[in-house]
Amino acid sequence: MPKPAPASLKIVNPADGRVFASLPCDDRAAVRDKYRAARTAQTAWAGQPLAERLAVIARFRALLVRDAEELARLLTREMGKPIAQSRNELKGVLGRIDFFLAEAPGVLAAEDVHREKDASGGSLVERITQEPLGVIANISAWNYPYFVGGNVFLPALLAGNAVLYKPSEFTTLTGRAIAERLDESGLPRDVFIPLVGGGAVGAELLRQPVDGVFFTGSVATGKKIARAMASRMVKVQLELGGKDPTYVCDDVADVAQAAASLADGAFYNTGQSCCSVERIYVQEGAFESFVKAFVQAVKGFKLGDPTRERTYLGPLARAAQLEVLEAQVADAQRKGARVLTGGRRVKRKGNYFEPTVLVDVDHTMAVMRDESFGPIIGIMSVPGDEAAIALMNDTEFGLTAGVYSSDRARAEKILARVKSGSAYWNCCDRVSPRLPWSGYGNSGMGLTLSRAGIATFTRPRGWHLKERSGSM
Ligand code: NAD
């Protein structure tokens, strides 16, 4: 049968809607060939000494430093991230690489956990080794390609896996740039292979007999992946969405500072972070002053061309999300919410939406229940801690949650009762390579980062080693 012609992927600049590149998508045969190549390459890669694998990733780090400006500009062009924030991401990933390089030797080392002598003078050793999973599929999101991609492919490669990397169709050129630099770092051919295309290519990748699937993206796609993999005995990790709440107590030391910190947590990356603050509850006594300071902070954000140094809010990466935001605003207004600032698309070319603050919101409104993934926030007044805890937990998600208060014990007591993978006191929208990144409910299953986020790319193997006396 003739091979169907590969469809092409158009790369659009979200700041002006113009197509600036076009790439042929991988078709079924290409995905299969890439899988086979990765399968062949993986064994030799796993057989290399760890020191060599560490050296490759260290060289990759140096290339990210060398090419930081070029890579930041590419990221800004294809997904609209303001240039200062693209540079921050390139800088931020270096700390993650340093963590992986420092911790991988300890996590991946073989460990003798028990040793005993038997009566006849023989010995028994029990050992754990960390074997790579094999060939893994890394299907990724566009909002932080270096972070969310790197959280998977960096430790996976260090652990001796081969990676089939399906970047989001909104950051394909960045995915390719990553592959080129891994290649230049001396990574053996086919150990890391990028795929080109959208959901259909991701779905085709899942039809290959991969040894693990590591996905970052929406709940809807995560569920499709869980269904597609349900009958296969391989590890599946899903890092999905959030509707992350923060509660501001009336004892907060500095209301204006809390407001500025939370405005940044809600609107950084134009609100397109999985851990963006998406709901704020403020204790009655602090509500008015908090809202005033919050709106003032938001009005200070500079929206515009993401290539400009001072731009803080860029276009949304996906045009379709404009409709989601419009629908959330309309639904909230219909149910009695007030828009204090913003609320509409910006009348200019590109996917721009005004930074939007809503009050008089409640949990019947989509804006307080569904992930917005854009520059929009609902702020709600609450009488006290019990109400705040109930509202924070009234969600299908559980990625992060925060409390702003001058009383650490109070904050920790509240956070202990909120279901979330990460808990923040007097901070928000923060990720550390040293801490596990995971979530409750529809925020997903499995984890990345921390030492456990290296071990997750291995299969621990138990060895029972019995030596008879006199055999040495
Ligand atoms: P998405 O689900 O639309 O796409 C994610 C990836 O899945 C893309 O590469 C896409 O091509 C692929 N895909 C789509 N359909 C597929 C299918 N049927 N089979 C296999 N692959 C398929 O998500 P997105 O818009 O790229 O990312 C935004 C979402 O990601 C948000 O919900 C955000 O909260 C979430 N996210 C979560 C984290 C986290 O750590 N929990 C981090 C970043 C982003």
Side-chain angles (χ1 to χ4, degrees), residues 92-101 147-148 151 431-433 449:
V93 78
L94 302 180
R96 298 197 187 187
I97 296 176
D98 291 340
F99 172 81
F100 292 135
L101 292 176
F147 287 162
V148 297
N151 291 352
V431 180
S432 163
L449 298 175

Side-chain angles (χ1 to χ4, degrees), residues 138-145 147-149 151 165-171 197-207 213 215-225 228 238-243 272-276 278 317-318 321 371 373 397 399 431 437-439 442-444 448-449:
N138 176 192
I139 300 179
S140 211
W142 47 265
N143 59 335
Y144 287 95
F147 287 162
V148 297
N151 291 352
Y165 179 54
K166 218 300 277 165
S168 163
E169 52 274 40
F170 296 97
T171 44
V201 172
E204 190 56 43
L205 176 55
L206 298 178
R207 286 187 204 109
V213 175
F215 170 77
T216 308
S218 62
V219 176
T221 310
K223 286 185 175 171
K224 280 188 204 163
I225 287 178
L238 306 169
E239 297 206 340
L240 310 177
K243 188 72 194 169
Q272 302 167 114
S273 307
C274 54
C275 52
S276 284
E278 291 232 352
R318 301 164 300 173
Q321 198 64 10
E371 190 177 50
F373 228 59
F397 298 106
L399 198 56
V431 180
W437 190 250
S438 66
N442 277 351
S443 290
T448 50
L449 298 175

Side-chain angles (χ1 to χ4, degrees), residues 299-318:
K299 285 187 169 162
F301 291 150
K302 194 157 171 38
L303 177 145
D305 179 348
T307 63
R308 294 260 164 87
E309 300 294 325
R310 287 183 51 241
T311 295
Y312 179 84
L313 290 164
L316 297 176
R318 301 164 300 173

Side-chain angles (χ1 to χ4, degrees), residues 353-384:
F353 200 86
E354 295 171 345
T356 300
V357 179
L358 293 153
V359 291
D360 298 345
V361 288
D362 63 41
H363 277 215
T364 66
M365 301 172 186
V367 73
M368 298 302 275
R369 306 201 71 87
D370 303 338
E371 190 177 50
S372 303
F373 228 59
I376 168 171
I377 186 91
I379 309 179
M380 186 171 169
S381 172
V382 294

